[in-house]
Amino acid sequence: MSDAMGNAVTPALQLVNVSRHFIQGDNQISILDEANFSLWPGETVALVAPSGSGKSTLLHLAGLLEHPDEGDVLVDGESCGNLPDDRRTAIRRSEIGFVYQFHHLLPEFSALENIMMPQLISGLPMPEAKERAEQLLDYMRIGHRADHRPAELSGGEQQRVAIARAVANAPLVLLADEPTGNLDPETAGYVFEALDALVRQSGLSAVIATHNHELASLMNRRVTLADSKVVELS
């Protein structure tokens, strides 16, 4: 891919001939077999595939939470497949944001503090972390809930806090695994709209696994998993 000036553009995320196998009894089960995938800067890709097809495994590999058995994962052009764990952790912390079906917020901290936490871990001064957290809460339209702990928030509010936390460190790539799967349809639609607007406004690249074909149709591209490969959907 090239930009408007004709210069080559580096994918934000790339899987190159990635394979991942699991042993079950005497059998080897291939989740991915020489799979290839590129995520370009600023685009949103829906990952639409049945449960058990390997969506979570693909996201874990893309997010450097697992190592591929073969092949490589590149983040902004950097080969990550054989990097030492400390370097993989550093890339994951600075370049990749995660959103899960369940919010995994820290229950003893407020919404504001949950969003500040990854920024503080990355070394951002507290005043700056607090200001960015407040901006993200306002953007997600829950600034008035900043001082509430997760147990005091609705499911949709909790997930919006989780999304804000995932992008707090301005990552290059956002990976979301069924981010609205635990919500009722109306709340899911609202949360997805907030997520989509945040991704597009910030210029993030995002892979979002979802069973919701209506939500998937709003993204730039749709892919699925078939025969252990990543396959484009029309």
Side-chain angles (χ1 to χ4, degrees), residues 113 116 130 138 177 200 215:
E113 291 166 338
M116 290 175 62
K130 183 173 184 288
D138 286 340
D177 194 356
R200 295 179 191 280
L215 298 184

Side-chain angles (χ1 to χ4, degrees), residues 22-29:
F22 294 96
I23 302 299
Q24 190 173 71
D26 296 329
N27 300 316
Q28 176 176 283
I29 299 173

Side-chain angles (χ1 to χ4, degrees), residues 19-23 27-33 53 227-228:
S19 296
R20 189 74 169 100
H21 313 296
F22 294 96
I23 302 299
N27 300 316
Q28 176 176 283
I29 299 173
S30 293
I31 304 300
L32 295 172
D33 184 19
S53 61
D227 298 324
S228 303

Side-chain angles (χ1 to χ4, degrees):
M1 180 179 286
S2 302
D3 62 17
M5 301 297 293
N7 300 311
V9 176
T10 300
L13 172 72
Q14 197 170 17
L15 275 61
V16 181
N17 295 326
V18 165
S19 296
R20 189 74 169 100
H21 313 296
F22 294 96
I23 302 299
Q24 190 173 71
D26 296 329
N27 300 316
Q28 176 176 283
I29 299 173
S30 293
I31 304 300
L32 295 172
D33 184 19
E34 297 187 354
N36 292 281
F37 170 71
S38 294
L39 175 69
W40 298 98
E43 79 167 345
T44 57
V45 176
L47 175 57
V48 184
S51 297
S53 61
K55 294 196 305 295
S56 295
T57 296
L58 187 150
L59 292 175
H60 288 171
L61 289 166
L64 309 185
L65 293 170
E66 295 183 22
H67 290 265
D69 294 315
E70 292 96 28
D72 200 3
V73 177
L74 288 76
V75 178
D76 198 23
E78 180 173 358
S79 172
C80 300
N82 296 307
L83 288 178
D85 286 342
D86 58 346
R87 177 58 184 153
R88 287 168 62 89
T89 298
I91 293 172
R92 194 164 55 240
R93 182 180 297 150
S94 63
E95 303 292 352
I96 302 171
F98 293 91
V99 182
Y100 298 98
Q101 180 173 343
F102 299 99
H103 54 77
H104 298 300
L105 298 174
L106 299 172
E108 65 271 29
F109 294 103
S110 68
L112 182 72
E113 291 166 338
N114 265 279
I115 301 170
M116 290 175 62
M117 198 65 64
Q119 301 177 77
L120 297 174
I121 291 171
S122 293
L124 200 68
M126 185 172 289
E128 293 179 33
K130 183 173 184 288
E131 181 180 6
R132 176 155 174 80
E134 290 172 339
Q135 290 173 346
L136 285 167
L137 283 170
D138 286 340
Y139 192 86
M140 300 300 283
R141 300 182 186 178
I142 47 172
H144 61 292
R145 307 290 274 167
D147 295 328
H148 290 72
R149 293 186 180 183
E152 301 170 313
L153 302 174
S154 70
E157 288 171 338
Q158 290 171 351
Q159 197 63 319
R160 277 180 276 166
V161 174
I163 292 167
R165 180 183 61 182
V167 303
N169 280 336
L172 180 70
V173 174
L174 180 69
L175 303 173
D177 194 356
E178 298 287 353
T180 61
N182 198 38
L183 305 173
D184 65 81
E186 182 177 355
T187 303
Y190 184 80
V191 169
F192 181 82
E193 286 177 9
L195 170 61
D196 187 56
L198 183 61
V199 166
R200 295 179 191 280
Q201 182 271 338
S202 61
L204 273 168
S205 305
V207 180
I208 303 174
T210 180
H211 283 107
N212 190 318
H213 289 270
E214 183 178 349
L215 298 184
S217 68
L218 301 176
M219 300 185 218
N220 297 128
R221 286 193 291 137
R222 296 183 305 142
V223 300
T224 190
L225 293 171
D227 298 324
S228 303
K229 311 283 189 187
V230 181
V231 179
E232 296 279 340
L233 291 171
S234 58

